[in-house]
Amino acid sequence: MTASGCFPPEEVASARDELDWGSEWIDTTSGSSAQLSELLEVAKILKLVRKHRGTLILIRLGTSMIAYQGELWRHIVAVLPLGKGELAQEAGRILLLTLAAGLSEAERNEVMIEGLAALGWRTVSGTKLKDDDWTSVARGTLLYLRMMGAIAANPLDRDVPCDPEWGRGFARIVLSM
């Protein structure tokens, strides 16, 4: 990584090609891209890599994921929902439930807010949570599910479910563990 914490342009291009993100890659010229930064954040949350003096290091767990096929999926299913603390865990479980149920974005927002409120969660000022609140609380799980394509935004109609069927199946597997 560069001194400013960005990925060098050649690493960005290499990651784009290796991950086959081609046309879906948002930022092909900058030294750091949103997708690569999100991928790094998820890899750190999953405890596969760490940063040491500006260098990414694959830790023992990450190395074992490469060595044994299928181990990464087992690890991900075992650690979901992602996030520290009871609130992040509860928000992640509710998010997985909304995905498994095949809810639209609008329905998901409503269920997330109502579900967390029913569990007693409020803002610091004591008011009911809003869209921005639940998305920040469930950030780790939401980031991972969006990055892998299990949760898809529907900019044309937030009331129509658009998440892929395999994403709903994945959520059901995680919830059954």
Side-chain angles (χ1 to χ4, degrees), residues 60-115:
R60 188 177 303 147
L61 180 62
T63 303
S64 74
M65 298 296 131
I66 293 170
Y68 301 103
Q69 281 190 335
E71 200 60 36
L72 180 59
W73 280 109
R74 281 189 280 282
H75 173 65
I76 291 168
V77 168
V79 299
L80 280 172
L82 301 175
K84 293 181 182 175
E86 187 180 358
L87 176 57
Q89 291 292 304
E90 288 177 347
R93 275 190 283 286
I94 296 170
L95 178 59
L96 287 162
L97 285 167
T98 67
L99 176 57
L103 301 183
S104 69
E105 280 185 72
E107 292 168 322
R108 177 173 291 131
N109 284 333
E110 188 177 325
V111 168
M112 289 298 300
I113 292 166
E114 293 300 322

Side-chain angles (χ1 to χ4, degrees), residues 87 120-129 133:
L87 176 57
W121 295 104
R122 301 253 183 242
T123 64
V124 174
S125 62
T127 60
K128 191 174 171 181
L129 298 173
D133 297 324

Side-chain angles (χ1 to χ4, degrees), residues 1-8 30-32 37 51 54:
M1 298 183 79
T2 65
S4 63
C6 296
F7 294 96
S30 170
S32 182
S37 295
K51 213 167 26 169

Side-chain angles (χ1 to χ4, degrees), residues 1 26 30 43 67 76 96 108 123 132 151 153 170 172 175-176:
M1 298 183 79
I26 295 169
S30 170
I76 291 168
L96 287 162
R108 177 173 291 131
T123 64
D132 291 346
I151 289 182
F170 176 76
R172 290 181 193 117
L175 291 166
S176 70

Side-chain angles (χ1 to χ4, degrees), residues 146-176:
R146 281 186 178 158
M147 186 188 69
M148 68 183 271
I151 289 182
N154 189 356
L156 299 177
D157 191 348
R158 295 187 42 186
D159 294 320
V160 176
C162 68
D163 301 323
E165 183 61 39
W166 69 263
R168 292 191 288 278
F170 176 76
R172 290 181 193 117
I173 291 169
V174 170
L175 291 166
S176 70

